[in-house]
Amino acid sequence: MRHTLRLSLLAAMLAVSTACVTINIYFPAAAAEKAADRIIDEVWQLREGAAAQPANGERQ
Amino acid sequence: MKIHAMLRAAFAALFLAFAGVAAAQGNLEINTPAITALQQSMQQRHAQLAPLYASGAVGLARDGTVALRDASSVPLAQRGQINGLIAAENADRAALYREIARANGHPEWEADVRATFAQRWIDRAQPGWWVQGGGGWVKK
């Protein structure tokens, strides 16, 4: 009986903490842009094997 | 006391959850086997697509896909092959956006990932390639 109570309390705490995280998280736009650039470098062979760096001013 | 163990577990869970958030804000995970395989497949296909971007037959669309822009610039006999290339590329791209969202634990980010890629493909397109803007196709 007490064991069940404890388990459900723990489950409730976990649920609450997960819910907070889910609400607070937003799409990391800057990180996504960096990831996109790294993949585009590879697919279009713009920088052979080089580590990701900010795009070199190729914006229109 | 049992209550202490419970509290410790709860704090550990909270800590892990926030560590996950911090990691998500720094870099997106793109080093998974699925993403690497898609990247390689697209890289190989690019050798065939690059001349089509340059001729204007194929352009980079606003929605993160590639599209047949000017069918008349392609001989009739080749159109089927080019449509196949475009379909294969768009299938890889859709899978790539889905996999990136999934690899980062947020499948619901797929549309945001797609929008980010759409913008970056267009920003980084080479001069002479056609890209789709708000008002239609433009040559870079």
Side-chain angles (χ1 to χ4, degrees):
Chain A
M1 188 64 186
R2 287 198 51 182
H3 189 63
T4 320
L5 196 71
R6 248 183 248 132
L7 266 181
S8 51
L9 183 61
L10 182 61
M13 285 172 89
L14 271 175
V16 168
S17 63
T18 315
C20 290
V21 168
T22 308
I23 289 162
N24 286 334
I25 203 159
Y26 56 91
F27 178 67
E33 207 165 286
K34 253 193 325 190
D37 281 344
R38 275 206 304 260
I39 288 175
I40 292 171
D41 282 345
E42 282 296 316
V43 171
W44 284 352
Q45 299 282 283
L46 297 176
R47 232 189 308 269
E48 281 170 28
Q53 277 164 10
N56 47 3
E58 285 177 73
R59 284 167 196 260
Q60 211 172 3
Chain B
M1 293 276 283
K2 281 275 166 63
I3 194 87
H4 281 150
M6 271 172 55
L7 277 175
R8 232 178 288 139
F11 278 122
L14 267 175
F15 176 77
L16 279 175
F18 285 115
V21 173
Q25 285 170 351
N27 273 309
L28 283 194
E29 171 65 74
I30 52 171
N31 294 319
T32 71
I35 293 170
T36 306
L38 286 165
Q39 199 172 298
Q40 277 167 4
S41 156
M42 291 167 71
Q43 185 187 312
Q44 280 163 17
R45 193 178 301 107
H46 183 64
Q48 291 166 278
L49 281 172
L52 298 168
Y53 295 143
S55 75
V58 175
L60 301 167
R62 294 176 71 189
D63 62 355
T65 63
V66 296
L68 186 63
R69 193 196 64 87
D70 181 16
S72 65
S73 71
V74 180
L76 204 58
Q78 283 178 29
R79 280 186 206 164
Q81 189 209 342
I82 287 170
N83 279 324
L85 264 181
I86 292 172
E89 174 71 8
N90 285 337
D92 276 357
R93 287 184 173 208
L96 177 72
Y97 306 148
R98 191 172 56 241
E99 280 303 322
I100 292 174
R102 231 169 50 91
N104 289 277
H106 288 270
E108 76 278 10
W109 284 353
E110 182 182 337
D112 293 307
V113 172
R114 175 184 285 274
T116 305
F117 267 85
Q119 192 58 52
R120 293 311 288 156
W121 291 121
I122 286 174
D123 285 348
R124 306 192 62 196
Q126 288 172 22
W129 292 9
W130 286 81
V131 300
Q132 198 178 31
W137 290 103
V138 285
K139 192 175 186 179
K140 284 199 76 173

